[in-house]
DNA sequence: CTTTCTGCAAACTCTTTGCACTCGT
DNA sequence: ACGAGTGCAAAGAGTTTGCAGAAAG
């Protein structure tokens, strides 16, 4: 049971590592195809799972159906824009407790926590400050906050 | 454009309101069928969406692919057991800040936040304290923490 | 050479949708 | 009677999987 270092695995990891926008599996697939045109979507999924099991990428289940992938595996949180669906990394707030006293007291063992903020990113506030909700076409930019 | 009060909508809301285990759409469907055997899964999805838009239920996207529904719409957080996938409600920790200073400073408008803890629930700790990972069959119980 | 991994396509899971019919108002 | 809502079934999106052949060690 020895793991092999294949071209595909490395290309997929590189695609996630160099991405700044928390790509979905489909987006990773599109990017890897530019370097390795014969790669298949199934292989992308299989390797993303492997990388996740190895702790080299983090899987994010935000409010959408699709899983997004993040190569920043240290403790940090996320902001999701409700208008353009962009995802930004957020340094964990200083006061944020690592444990939840109520849970610990009730016998729950906590291994991890995820904190996600939802709202409107600066770009979308500028783009459509008055309208109720805008289509996200062309507004897929991402910024990184205090990494 | 007037909304009607149908038997189906009320039965679906009741199923979620009286549930203690954050059911998925399929589970809501199974429960509503006991009262209203002719209901369809499509209707369950349509009404869960409607209830969510009305703010009467909250949709949870935890680490699974399936959406789960919660009739407790006040601010609270969740604990997910990594062994049995049970979900428990958790009162928001006292120190938890409503705003994230780093985000506010960068011009992000935050409307909501979700905080989820992952770990092992007391029942699973008792059931298999030594094994690495157990099948979740028969361990679907849920407890509620400090509601 | 052996074993893991790949590409392909089909299967699977969860959710949405079009249509004719039903039921609230 | 009008039109929002329903049941059904088919379509859709995202993900997983079985298998024969390719390639890493």
């Amino acid at each position: 049971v020895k793991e092999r270092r294949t071209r595909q695995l490395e290309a997929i990891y590189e695609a996630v590592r160099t991405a700044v926008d928390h790509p979905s599996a489909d987006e990773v697939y599109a990017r890897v195809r530019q370097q390795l045109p014969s790669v298949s979507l199934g292989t992308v999924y299989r390797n993303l799972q492997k990388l996740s099991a190895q702790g080299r990428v983090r899987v994010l289940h935000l409010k959408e159906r699709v899983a997004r992938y993040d190569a920043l595996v240290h403790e940090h949180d996320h902001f999701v824009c409700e208008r353009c669906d962009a995802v930004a990394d957020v340094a964990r707030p200083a006061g944020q407790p690592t444990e939840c006293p109520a849970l610990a007291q009730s016998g729950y063992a906590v291994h991890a926590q995820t904190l996600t903020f939802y709202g409107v990113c600066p770009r979308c506030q500028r783009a459509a400050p008055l309208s109720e909700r805008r289509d996200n076409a062309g507004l897929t930019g991402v910024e990184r906050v205090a990494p």
Side-chain angles (χ1 to χ4, degrees), chain A residues 74-91:
Chain A
H74 68 85
E75 245 189 18
H76 70 281
D77 306 308
H78 295 96
F79 173 91
V80 180
C81 178
E82 291 165 338
R83 298 227 182 123
C84 70
D85 287 330
V87 179
D89 292 300
V90 183

Side-chain angles (χ1 to χ4, degrees), chain A residues 114-132:
Chain A
T114 64
L115 173 59
T116 307
F117 298 94
Y118 298 91
V120 183
C121 70
R123 182 191 303 255
C124 286
Q125 289 178 52
R126 268 181 257 118
L130 299 173
S131 69
E132 177 63 25

Side-chain angles (χ1 to χ4, degrees), chain A residues 39-99:
Chain A
V39 79
S40 76
L41 185 55
T43 293
V44 170
Y45 274 105
R46 273 184 294 234
N47 281 316
L48 286 172
Q49 269 184 199
K50 184 172 297 190
L51 289 165
S52 159
Q54 293 173 350
R56 296 171 74 192
V57 308
R58 210 169 124 180
V59 185
L60 308 178
H61 289 90
L62 304 171
K63 70 184 325 180
E64 309 167 279
R65 253 160 81 53
V66 300
R68 294 177 157 275
Y69 299 87
D70 191 345
L72 294 177
V73 293
H74 68 85
E75 245 189 18
H76 70 281
D77 306 308
H78 295 96
F79 173 91
V80 180
C81 178
E82 291 165 338
R83 298 227 182 123
C84 70
D85 287 330
V87 179
D89 292 300
V90 183
R92 177 149 301 179
Q96 183 68 18
T98 304
E99 274 280 319

